[in-house]
Amino acid sequence: MNVTVCIRRVPDTETRIRVADDGVSIDASGVKYIVSPYDEFAVEAGLQVTEGLGAGQVTVVTVGDAGAAESLKNSLAMGAHRALLLEGEVTMDGLATARALAAELAEADAPLILLGVKAADDDQQQVGPMLATLLGRPCATAVTRLEVRDGDVRCHREVEGGTEVVDLPLPSVVTITKGTYEPRYATLKGIMAARRKPLERRPAQLPPARLRVLALEPPAPRPPGRIVGEGVEAVPELVRLLREEAGAL
Amino acid sequence: MSAAGVLTEPMTMSEYGSEAKMESGAGVVAAFVEQRDGSIRATAHEVVGAAAELARAMGGKVHALAAGGPGLGAECGQLGGRGAEVIRVAEGAELAQYQAERYAHIVAGMVAGGGYQAVLFPASALGADLAPRVAALLDVPLASDATGLEVVDGGLVATRPVYGGKAFARVAFDASPAVVSLRPHVFPPGTRPAAGRVEVFTPAGGAPAGGRAVDFRAASGGSVDVAEAEIVVSGGRGLRGPENWAVIEDVRDALGPTAALGASRAVVDAGWRPHGEQVGQTGKTIAPKLYFALAISGAIQHLAGMRTARTIVAVNKDADAPIFNVADYGIVGDVFEVAPVLAAEIRRLKSQSG
Ligand SMILES: Cc1cc2nc3c(=O)[nH]c(=O)nc-3n(C[C@H](O)[C@H](O)[C@H](O)COP(=O)(O)OP(=O)(O)OC[C@H]3O[C@@H](n4cnc5c(N)ncnc54)[C@H](O)[C@@H]3O)c2cc1C
Ligand SMILES: Nc1ncnc2c1ncn2[C@@H]1O[C@H](COP(=O)(O)O)[C@@H](O)[C@H]1O
């Protein structure tokens, strides 16, 4: 069975984020980009599914600019078989992104579509269930482990208070969270092989974004904290402050 | 549906098949009510409260929207006290447990007929699963996990963290209704009572086939989940091993039943704690009233998950640990010495104040 994994290129989580002069985007100078961490879990999940079945290919898809091809190559180097770059501007409007993906995947051979639970830049946590809804497919979110079975996929979901097991009929859409899948490192051999793997490009059928960023701002600085003291002697004062000053106890 | 099988038209009232008679009006705000096993969740009080503040600013009212099993309507009366004018409740025996596709169709149907200016959800696990589906059915964008709402020139503007909390975006909506999910614990529960008229109805059947829940395993210990807790006590690699977690649990126990355990990724990846407890960029994003970071260095990816906590306390033996840059109160010291005394002191305080 073929697996399609939707990935997004995001700034490295270590990167310092500076607001650009336009006040609505980030200053891209010096930013190192990576495949969004949850999407790497999803690529790993996809590889394990095809390896487990001993059949099928993993296709990685991204909506993005020319630079996003780098992220596709990272996934190819991990072991994905083919890649597709849907060229277009990525915005915070996840529904627009989901529409571009849906337009591409509705008629593709994509019985199982995997996404990350959330992208590490816009943190919207929405493209997966939106894509599923547009395609009229069942969807499980925040899945830590999946098992493809005959005609369905068993998903172990992380929910508040425990783990839920859900069986989804195929074709379906699943968003992956951290848990079981440890993304493999790309080997040198993998990186070399990636160069020969197919990477298609075409324009994304991306509708205009309807979520408008008015301003991007650094977080409000937390009021300066204080070191209450050293060692056990400081504990009574800490507890007093928590009750009387912070009202937290 | 188009030929290619992609949903292209927003859902309409008639598709939903509801008999509902809803007065639309400017500034009417819908608030989704989260319930579990028939009890209203704390998030509902926050979402209705935030909706009430918005509606006030926009000159409208709040309609709370709920779905669940028989008897939910009676439970929902309390939401009048939080500011709901009307509470519309879809009741049915088969709705007792959350089912994503079914709930999404019911809620989208209620919204499609409501003429709302804004629709608010909680950004809880359930809300994060449901809100995008409802937005897609309505063909409107969604701003997730907002920490602020304001009305500017009559339109809604949401503030939401991006880049793991390293920046905040203020976003406006070029579509109606504006759909927003709210980070739990950030918005205060509503305090301005309204009529609270409960309208129970039986939703039309039929929704696309969804997943089938076959099993649920509660996290061990059965204590409150880190994402829902008012107080979180997290331990890091400085604890040296899972056998030392009694130290962290002791502090949690002293704080009472509203406190939960959390962990850094280093600890989860080492297999000391379950990943359900991980706080941070690749774990849970939380905003408790009080957060304890015990022997956690405060890496940027950890901060991504907890920097919107109201009060942060850090205990670390390294005075230069980055966690002290965000902590409101810090103690430089050995966690193995400090934590037991901290637990004892909290217990003493609690016993004094009864
Ligand atoms: C893509 C990505 C995603 C990530 N996501 C997350 C995430 O979601 N959550 C997360 O937490 N991390 C995440 N990380 C990892 C993060 O970068 C750090 O490695 C991790 O948070 C460190 O955990 P720690 O603070 O427990 O351990 P350490 O960094 O090893 O810190 C241990 C601390 O304990 C202190 N200490 C030691 N002994 C004692 C003692 N006896 N008493 C008091 N203090 C003591 C030390 O001074 C030190 O500050 C992510 C990293 C990447 C690259
Ligand atoms: N531009 C994109 N191209 C392909 N997939 C994407 C894109 N943006 C988001 N996704 C997928 O949707 C998931 C959730 O993203 P988000 O809803 O933006 O937080 C990501 O982890 C990706 O798997």
Side-chain angles (χ1 to χ4, degrees):
Chain A
M1 190 180 69
N2 290 332
V3 182
T4 307
V5 186
C6 302
I7 67 166
R8 177 159 166 141
R9 181 175 180 253
V10 301
D12 190 325
T13 56
E14 297 279 353
T15 303
R16 220 181 110 212
I17 296 296
R18 286 180 310 260
V19 179
D21 291 339
D22 66 4
V24 295
S25 60
I26 62 163
D27 180 351
S29 59
V31 172
K32 182 177 159 244
Y33 289 91
I34 57 168
V35 175
S36 187
Y38 288 113
D39 301 354
E40 286 203 321
F41 297 129
V43 172
E44 178 63 36
L47 292 171
Q48 290 191 19
V49 166
T50 53
E51 286 164 1
L53 296 172
Q57 295 204 323
V58 174
T59 302
V60 282
V61 187
T62 195
V63 178
D65 59 16
E70 277 315 306
S71 295
L72 293 173
K73 285 177 193 158
N74 295 150
S75 301
L76 291 175
M78 266 177 77
H81 302 85
R82 43 196 324 124
L84 174 59
L85 173 59
L86 299 172
E87 291 175 317
E89 195 200 344
V90 180
T91 67
M92 199 183 281
D93 184 349
L95 187 58
T97 307
R99 283 216 177 270
L101 292 167
E104 185 63 38
L105 299 176
E107 289 184 294
D109 172 23
L112 178 60
I113 303 175
L114 305 182
L115 300 92
V117 69
K118 99 179 150 185
D121 54 355
D122 69 6
D123 291 342
Q124 280 277 61
Q125 204 171 337
Q126 56 180 229
V127 173
M130 283 176 167
L131 173 62
T133 304
L134 296 177
L135 294 174
R137 290 188 183 189
C139 170
T141 58
V143 169
T144 54
R145 184 158 63 86
L146 54 86
E147 303 155 54
V148 173
R149 309 186 312 168
D150 196 15
D152 75 0
V153 47
R154 172 159 287 190
C155 299
H156 300 257
R157 292 187 67 215
E158 198 176 87
V159 296
E160 280 144 5
T163 309
E164 185 188 52
V165 184
V166 184
D167 290 345
L168 290 186
L170 287 162
S172 52
V173 176
V174 176
T175 76
I176 304 291
T177 193
K178 180 172 177 286
T180 313
Y181 300 110
E182 195 52 55
R184 63 193 68 184
Y185 286 102
T187 59
L188 191 59
K189 196 162 146 255
I191 295 167
M192 300 300 283
R195 296 191 186 153
R196 293 186 302 277
K197 290 179 179 172
L199 195 164
E200 276 181 66
R201 300 164 195 254
R202 49 180 167 270
Q205 296 175 48
L206 199 57
R210 291 177 296 163
L211 205 54
R212 213 165 1 103
V213 178
L214 302 175
L216 199 61
E217 289 154 3
R222 287 191 78 92
R226 87 177 88 138
I227 302 283
V228 178
E230 286 189 20
V232 293
E233 286 76 48
V235 171
E237 176 66 357
L238 170 69
V239 171
R240 187 191 70 77
L241 287 167
L242 286 177
R243 161 146 303 188
E244 290 171 17
E245 191 177 85
L249 281 181
Chain B
M1 292 267 172
S2 76
V6 179
L7 181 75
T8 51
E9 294 295 325
M11 199 162 152
T12 60
M13 197 62 187
S14 60
E15 248 176 287
Y16 165 61
S18 164
E19 77 302 345
K21 33 131 194 44
M22 276 186 266
E23 73 276 31
S24 53
V28 183
V29 179
F32 175 75
V33 176
E34 180 172 2
Q35 58 90 11
R36 194 182 298 162
D37 300 327
S39 319
I40 310 289
R41 309 294 298 173
T43 58
H45 299 154
E46 298 171 10
V47 171
V48 171
E53 293 304 314
L54 264 194
R56 237 163 78 90
M58 301 194 299
K61 293 190 169 3
V62 176
H63 286 190
L65 311 178
L72 181 62
E75 270 294 300
C76 281
Q78 58 178 281
L79 294 171
R82 301 296 178 183
E85 181 73 15
V86 177
I87 304 123
R88 306 249 320 130
V89 187
E91 264 191 20
E94 76 292 355
L95 295 177
Q97 299 303 325
Y98 174 67
Q99 304 150 58
E101 284 80 9
R102 184 104 173 86
Y103 271 48
H105 271 256
I106 289 170
V107 175
M110 288 198 247
V111 173
Y116 302 121
Q117 196 165 347
V119 184
L120 307 184
F121 289 87
S124 56
L126 187 152
D129 187 82
L130 178 66
R133 302 174 198 254
V134 174
L137 287 171
L138 298 168
D139 189 24
V140 292
L142 162 67
S144 304
D145 204 25
T147 55
L149 293 175
E150 60 195 306
V151 179
V152 178
D153 297 333
L156 179 60
V157 172
T159 300
R160 51 181 308 277
V162 289
Y163 301 100
K166 286 189 265 184
F168 283 75
R170 292 178 64 236
V171 299
F173 302 79
D174 295 331
S176 182
V179 185
V180 186
S181 66
L182 308 182
R183 179 170 289 189
H185 292 315
V186 171
F187 294 84
T191 52
R192 287 177 221 279
R197 193 172 70 247
V198 177
E199 299 175 3
V200 177
F201 70 101
T202 308
R212 198 168 53 87
V214 291
D215 190 18
F216 180 80
R217 260 167 273 143
S220 58
S223 69
V224 54
D225 190 275
V226 60
E228 298 183 314
E230 282 187 6
I231 303 177
V232 173
V233 185
S234 283
R237 183 147 52 193
L239 268 299
R240 292 204 297 259
E243 66 282 5
N244 294 328
W245 237 254
V247 171
I248 301 289
E249 282 163 355
D250 188 27
V251 177
R252 190 267 320 262
D253 294 345
L255 289 160
T258 57
L261 294 179
S264 73
R265 176 167 175 173
V267 157
V268 171
D269 284 358
W272 301 353
R273 300 300 304 172
H275 56 78
E277 289 181 8
Q278 185 182 318
V279 173
Q281 190 126 28
T282 45
K284 287 178 177 154
T285 302
I286 58 174
K289 290 200 176 95
L290 180 57
Y291 187 82
F292 289 87
L294 305 181
I296 290 178
S297 60
I300 191 76
Q301 297 93 349
H302 188 78
L303 303 187
M306 43 60 81
R307 70 190 311 158
T308 54
R310 197 165 316 153
T311 301
I312 299 171
V313 176
V315 177
N316 198 299
K317 70 175 182 191
D318 174 5
D320 294 325
I323 192 72
F324 289 124
N325 297 333
V326 298
D328 300 285
Y329 305 105
I331 290 184
V332 179
D334 186 334
V335 69
F336 295 106
E337 293 169 13
V338 173
V341 179
L342 179 60
E345 193 67 18
I346 292 167
R347 285 198 174 90
R348 201 175 60 82
L349 182 84
K350 293 212 158 192
S351 68
Q352 276 174 2
S353 53

